[in-house]
Amino acid sequence: MKRQPNQLIGLALVLLLVTATLGFAGGRTETAAAAGDVIAIEYWDENNQHGIFDANHPQSVAFAEQFGIVWESPMVSWNGGTDYLQQLRLRIAAGDLPDIFMPWGGIEQELIDNGAVADLTDLIQEEMPAFYSNVAPEIWDFIRSLSPDGQSIYVLPSVQFTPLGGMIRGDWLDRLGLDVPTTVDEYVEVLRAFRDQDASGDGNPNNEIPTSGREGGRWMDHLFAPFGIAMVEGFPEWDIYDGELQYSAVQPAMRSAIEWIRGLYAEGLLDPETFINTNQVWMGKITGDLVGSWYHGTHWSPARFTTLYNAGVTDVRLDYLPMLSHPDYEGFMTTTDYRRPGYVFGAHMTEEAIRRTMRAIEFVNDPATIEERNIGYEGVNFLIENGQEVRLSTADFLALGTGYRPALGAQLLSDAETTIRTNEFQMSLLSGPDDPSYRAVDNANRLIAAYSQDTVRSIAGQFLPPSIYEGYPDIRTHRLFQEYVARIIVGDWEIDRFDEFVERWYRSGGREVTERAQAAYAALQ
Amino acid sequence: MSTNVGTPTVPLQPVRTRRPRKRRSTTMRKHRMLYFMVIPGLVWFIMFRAIPMGGILIAFQDYNIFRGFLESEWVGLKHFRYLFQYQDFYRVFYNSMIIAIQEILIGFPAPIILALALNEVRRSAVKRSLQTVLYLPYFFSWVMIAALFFQIFSMNGIVNQIISAFGGDRVLLVQREWFFRPMIIISGLYRNSGYGTIIYLAAIAGIDPQLYEAAMIDGANRFQRILLITVPSILPTALVLLLLRIGGLMNFGFDRIYNFLTPMTFGVGDVFDTYVFRVGLTEGQYSLTTAIGLFQGFVAFGMVWVVNQMMRRQGGGLW
């Protein structure tokens, strides 16, 4: 029987569909293969800061020559860490880990306990001597405590300098003839002036938002700090209260802080939309010349500065808002020497691959190589035209909100000095104070310098293993705190309900988690 | 006088007719292209629906992502016990049920009413434009719709501008607990009602026009024709869709809630889907979240069964 042509086409289509269905369900395609003696390294972290780069990227090409590795960072959606974690868990489930990656959400403990990541103990001092010696011994002690024998190193810690602090619009203060406030009372007066007068100078005295924060009560730490609340990016942290390690959210000081902020909200000094502000909306208000003071990374401020400048606010100036003193409390700005786990190496990597990768990471983090790194890479930081080095514009870096990045990725170590030096190097490439980028970076350096002089303290709870939260997801995510803080501040609930929160927090697992945290803390001491 | 005509009663027995084997294979051969076309669907169903059913078993394990299914420890009903002892379990359960029931009571009839109304639009051009406008929101993601609603109800949004124009105080409705559920239902109506009319319009199109003609001759007005002809005709379709919808009752849609949820509305908006997201993703507790999924499945199945029984009494039902 002769087949009809349309039947054949139909059959082909069916086969195509079946193959496609099976194909999509199949494993991932190989992203990189070792070429010659060069080893491909798939590298994952929150690449929203440095973007994606592949084997053809100038830095990857340079690394291939310098260290014998091809550095590839594929696009991994971040979304506050949730998308990243989801994709990482997918790769774990498939038994196909990236070569080196940043653990997130406390997953490092699970990885170590299950032997999924490589033991770096024997290699680290050999291959990364500068990094090893520049990280404080107590941080290494903590890193070792994560291992089953308490002696091994599985994680490279991130100890990046992160100057998160309060900022206030200096040009607004100038316009109203006010000084930078230093006490909570002065701050309230300034906020009132922002609310009542045309601080932004746009002719409308009613559109200023004196201060703002983000959903979940996040990114408004400058309002909690005067009360001595340990808090990082809006998440309450663990510190010593009454001589014991405790969760800062359930302390009487927190009640006072919430009560004070509630008053600000009622007076219209805190953005009424604070608790529904997403990152984008909040940022849009700041760069829309609407917000008078906020809390964020002072080192990230050039992006805000230039956006404001380009929108026509040519006299923009950001002043550092110091930790506001309070008559009844000893306040401080929270910081952690140990930021987070930096990178782990997949257990599937060969020793040679680990060694070479370590050498690259050592180079990227060694304070001695900063000048070399500042020069950067051809095609990224400069071009060669007619035999002359032509520096690329820094506007792209500023637009990314990251400042000038001498090398891409795997940055774990920095301090105030190296940050300021890198910024100064960047300024030296610019024409001078007439250039808005120059002014933005200069402004950031002043903020960073002021931050370094402020009452900033490392908290006792920075070295807590993620395992203390096991079985208590709501405690880990601060869910109960976020619900109560929002509803009390907006006036839905009376301040008395704070006591109910404390009681509920302890009852829903807070007691067990506190015991575990105290035991872990005692063990490290 | 009674006559009893004795008719021999033969008990009715099903006549067993065996289809000749040959005929079936002939039919299959004849329609083989149709059978071939079923294959991708079957493959999909087996791969993505049947095989993953085995994954239910991890609800009874302490599933370890590194060790895999075969080597994880069996723990019986541990995760179900944890779920029922979770202090917010009843809140989460209540919220899930309330939102789902409200959605069925309001969201289910909406496309029917809309389809009936659309069917009465006589001008074809107007009807088509209306349909396009109504279908459009279905293609917006929940992220977009949530952003739109947050914008409309923001301090400077259109709603507050109207309130303010009438001399009222501006109020941030999206962070009010009482407003959360209405907002979820309204946004659902906005997004899904238009698209939901497609099936009903198709069912209406299938109604014999002679019925309408006969009714008109009998003097039925337009409203009576809708009520007595259109509605009964699409009722079977509506009931099947209702059953399907009840089946998906507990799978309300994570992103639909999550995009509207803020800590201020946790009290009324925290549902199973958002709880699973929190626990599953932040904690990687696959066993517990599977147990929750299984529990949701049981509840949904129970509801479908009850509603189906009710329908059977009325002569309908799926089985």
Side-chain angles (χ1 to χ4, degrees):
Chain A
M1 190 178 84
K2 199 184 167 192
R3 271 185 202 284
Q4 295 292 320
N6 59 352
Q7 284 192 350
L8 280 174
I9 294 168
L11 194 65
L13 275 175
V14 167
L15 284 172
L16 187 73
L17 275 170
V18 174
T19 334
T21 315
L22 292 170
F24 282 127
R28 72 164 176 137
T29 48
E30 284 299 315
T31 51
D37 188 37
V38 177
I39 303 171
I41 300 294
E42 188 188 3
Y43 150 69
W44 276 34
D45 66 3
E46 85 280 43
N47 59 10
N48 53 356
Q49 295 225 342
H50 54 68
I52 52 174
F53 50 94
D54 59 16
N56 301 319
H57 189 278
Q59 178 176 311
S60 299
V61 173
F63 270 24
E65 218 169 275
Q66 212 172 342
F67 305 106
I69 59 168
V70 175
W71 200 236
E72 289 179 296
S73 172
M75 178 62 208
V76 187
S77 158
W78 179 247
N79 187 22
T82 47
D83 283 5
Y84 176 83
L85 190 56
Q86 198 171 15
Q87 291 167 87
L88 191 58
R89 285 197 181 279
L90 194 65
R91 290 286 294 266
I92 295 171
D96 177 30
L97 277 173
D99 296 312
I100 70 163
F101 58 97
M102 181 181 83
W104 187 253
I107 200 173
E108 65 274 15
Q109 192 70 65
E110 227 177 308
L111 291 162
I112 295 169
D113 292 346
N114 287 286
V117 289
D119 184 347
L120 310 173
T121 324
D122 298 335
L123 308 175
I124 192 146
Q125 293 190 54
E126 250 173 74
E127 302 294 351
M128 305 183 71
F131 180 76
Y132 187 78
S133 60
N134 272 287
V135 173
E138 60 266 28
I139 294 176
W140 288 122
D141 288 346
F142 170 66
I143 294 293
R144 286 195 178 92
S145 77
L146 297 173
S147 66
D149 61 0
Q151 300 299 321
S152 308
I153 293 171
Y154 286 89
V155 180
L156 297 184
S158 168
V159 288
Q160 288 225 70
F161 174 64
T162 312
L164 301 174
M167 280 166 271
I168 191 161
R169 287 287 298 272
D171 50 325
W172 286 24
L173 291 172
D174 288 352
R175 201 165 286 124
L176 304 181
L178 298 167
D179 292 327
V180 174
T182 55
T183 69
V184 282
D185 292 337
E186 284 174 20
Y187 185 59
V188 172
E189 285 309 316
V190 167
L191 295 183
R192 285 185 185 136
F194 283 173
R195 180 194 59 191
D196 299 333
Q197 300 175 46
D198 182 18
S200 64
D202 66 348
N204 181 359
N206 297 320
N207 62 353
E208 283 83 0
I209 299 168
T211 188
S212 184
R214 253 157 70 176
E215 53 190 347
R218 297 198 56 206
W219 294 99
M220 44 195 263
D221 303 19
H222 63 302
L223 303 178
F224 290 92
F227 296 83
I229 306 286
M231 178 177 270
V232 175
E233 298 176 13
F235 294 130
E237 282 292 340
W238 298 78
D239 200 16
I240 304 294
Y241 293 96
D242 298 328
E244 271 188 313
L245 187 81
Q246 298 193 61
Y247 183 51
S248 68
V250 293
Q251 304 309 312
M254 179 60 96
R255 185 190 161 117
S256 307
I258 294 175
E259 198 169 10
W260 181 66
I261 300 168
R262 189 177 199 258
L264 298 182
Y265 189 91
E267 255 197 83
L269 303 177
L270 173 63
D271 182 1
E273 292 175 344
T274 290
F275 294 98
I276 55 166
N277 275 344
T278 57
N279 181 15
Q280 289 88 345
V281 172
W282 177 75
M283 205 57 96
K285 287 175 178 174
I286 291 171
T287 52
D289 197 19
L290 295 173
V291 183
S293 97
W294 65 92
Y295 169 89
H296 204 223
T298 52
H299 56 319
W300 300 325
S301 67
R304 255 52 71 199
F305 189 103
T306 40
T307 313
L308 278 161
Y309 186 94
N310 292 336
V313 191
T314 48
D315 61 345
V316 58
R317 194 184 78 235
L318 307 180
D319 283 347
Y320 184 73
L321 177 71
M323 207 285 301
L324 304 162
S325 64
H326 191 287
D328 302 328
Y329 292 92
E330 214 173 296
F332 64 94
M333 300 294 291
T334 305
T335 191
T336 52
D337 301 323
Y338 169 65
R339 277 298 285 169
R340 53 172 174 75
Y343 295 99
V344 287
F345 293 63
H348 62 275
M349 285 176 79
T350 62
E351 189 183 318
E352 183 56 26
I354 295 175
R355 281 181 186 275
R356 291 185 191 186
T357 310
M358 279 183 143
R359 279 172 218 152
I361 299 178
E362 167 82 346
F363 170 76
V364 171
N365 291 286
D366 184 354
T369 64
I370 182 141
E371 306 302 338
E372 192 183 338
R373 282 185 282 134
N374 271 338
I375 294 166
Y377 295 95
E378 187 185 342
V380 182
N381 307 103
F382 62 89
L383 299 173
I384 301 288
E385 283 177 9
N386 305 325
Q388 291 280 310
E389 189 181 289
V390 179
R391 282 274 149 190
L392 290 179
S393 156
T394 53
D396 294 340
F397 299 111
L398 292 174
L400 278 171
T402 57
Y404 179 78
R405 289 227 157 201
L408 299 179
Q411 288 185 331
L412 298 170
L413 182 74
S414 62
D415 56 18
E417 197 200 325
T418 50
T419 310
I420 289 174
R421 266 168 70 194
T422 302
N423 279 350
E424 281 169 353
F425 177 80
Q426 187 187 358
M427 282 156 66
S428 74
L429 306 173
L430 297 161
S431 57
D434 291 339
D435 186 328
S437 297
Y438 181 97
R439 283 176 51 194
V441 180
D442 188 33
N443 193 119
N445 263 0
R446 281 192 297 104
L447 293 172
I448 294 166
Y451 170 86
S452 306
Q453 302 296 315
D454 201 10
T455 320
V456 181
R457 180 160 74 70
S458 256
I459 49 168
Q462 61 174 325
F463 299 126
L464 287 178
S467 55
I468 61 166
Y469 297 109
E470 216 173 284
Y472 300 103
D474 283 354
I475 301 268
R476 184 204 291 271
T477 54
H478 311 273
R479 193 193 69 74
L480 210 54
F481 167 74
Q482 292 190 340
E483 183 177 355
Y484 275 80
V485 76
R487 302 201 65 181
I488 293 175
I489 289 175
V490 303
D492 257 9
W493 289 347
E494 291 305 316
I495 184 71
D496 293 341
R497 290 194 68 166
F498 179 81
D499 302 335
E500 178 190 293
F501 154 68
V502 174
E503 192 260 330
R504 271 188 73 188
W505 186 83
Y506 276 116
R507 193 157 41 87
S508 63
R511 188 158 288 119
E512 290 80 355
V513 175
T514 305
E515 279 167 17
R516 288 180 193 170
Q518 288 173 348
Y521 180 68
L524 266 177
Q525 299 305 306
Chain B
M1 194 178 89
S2 71
T3 53
N4 192 353
V5 181
T7 45
T9 52
V10 181
L12 280 172
Q13 280 188 352
V15 183
R16 300 187 76 176
T17 53
R18 177 170 283 191
R19 266 187 166 184
R21 198 174 264 273
K22 198 180 153 196
R23 235 182 105 189
R24 190 190 291 168
S25 60
T26 320
T27 321
M28 278 189 80
R29 195 174 304 150
K30 190 176 168 196
H31 297 298
R32 64 185 174 284
M33 286 319 288
L34 291 178
Y35 282 98
F36 274 131
M37 284 166 76
V38 170
I39 292 173
L42 268 182
V43 170
W44 179 87
F45 197 82
I46 291 166
M47 282 182 63
F48 294 106
R49 284 288 180 268
I51 295 175
M53 287 284 271
I56 286 173
L57 288 175
I58 70 172
F60 305 96
Q61 286 188 326
D62 255 344
Y63 179 68
N64 182 315
I65 190 171
F66 298 96
R67 275 187 247 152
F69 173 69
L70 292 175
E71 289 180 31
S72 293
E73 193 188 341
W74 292 93
V75 291
L77 295 174
K78 176 182 157 187
H79 299 292
F80 292 91
R81 275 197 296 275
Y82 178 89
L83 174 64
F84 295 128
Q85 282 163 6
Y86 173 59
Q87 67 160 358
D88 283 342
F89 172 76
Y90 291 100
R91 181 169 94 167
V92 170
F93 183 66
Y94 177 79
N95 287 342
S96 307
M97 291 300 283
I98 280 287
I99 293 179
I101 289 168
Q102 282 180 347
E103 166 69 9
I104 283 183
L105 289 180
I106 300 164
F108 173 70
I112 303 180
I113 296 165
L114 204 58
L116 292 175
L118 270 177
N119 190 47
E120 296 306 314
V121 178
R122 288 286 165 255
R123 278 172 185 272
S124 158
V126 177
K127 189 174 175 179
R128 279 192 195 157
S129 322
L130 266 177
Q131 277 176 299
T132 310
V133 171
L134 289 169
Y135 293 167
L136 201 62
Y138 183 78
F139 300 98
F140 297 161
S141 70
W142 282 112
V143 181
M144 268 176 72
I145 290 174
L148 187 73
F149 269 68
F150 273 63
Q151 196 55 48
I152 290 171
F153 292 103
S154 73
M155 287 307 265
N156 293 313
I158 188 161
V159 171
N160 270 320
Q161 283 184 13
I162 293 169
I163 292 175
S164 164
F166 282 96
D169 286 336
R170 289 176 188 239
V171 54
L172 207 49
L173 286 171
V174 288
Q175 64 181 26
R176 297 276 162 237
E177 237 183 20
W178 65 265
F179 189 67
F180 182 78
R181 286 178 192 144
M183 183 164 62
I184 291 293
I185 302 300
I186 293 167
S187 59
L189 288 180
Y190 168 69
R191 184 176 186 263
N192 297 336
S193 300
Y195 197 74
T197 59
I198 290 180
I199 283 186
Y200 294 112
L201 284 174
I204 291 171
I207 301 172
D208 188 351
Q210 289 184 41
L211 290 171
Y212 290 106
E213 284 165 21
M216 278 166 82
I217 291 165
D218 288 346
N221 63 26
R222 187 181 267 204
F223 184 71
Q224 284 168 324
R225 292 200 300 272
I226 294 176
L227 206 64
L228 300 171
I229 299 172
T230 318
V231 172
S233 306
I234 61 170
L235 202 59
T237 312
L239 289 177
V240 170
L241 287 179
L242 178 65
L243 259 184
L244 290 176
R245 197 179 257 254
I246 288 170
L249 184 81
M250 301 297 282
N251 295 323
F252 188 70
F254 161 74
D255 47 354
R256 181 165 171 190
I257 299 282
Y258 184 73
N259 285 303
F260 285 93
L261 196 63
T262 68
M264 274 158 304
T265 46
F266 260 144
V268 291
D270 194 17
V271 293
F272 278 117
D273 291 321
T274 50
Y275 178 62
V276 165
F277 176 75
R278 255 200 331 272
V279 178
L281 210 63
T282 60
E283 290 278 283
Q285 291 193 22
Y286 301 98
S287 292
L288 176 60
T289 47
T290 309
I292 296 171
L294 196 56
F295 172 73
Q296 284 178 292
F298 270 117
V299 173
F301 179 75
M303 304 261 310
V304 170
W305 189 80
V306 168
V307 175
N308 192 59
Q309 288 300 107
M310 282 160 60
M311 285 181 182
R312 275 181 66 174
R313 266 185 220 150
Q314 307 299 320
L318 273 183
W319 74 89

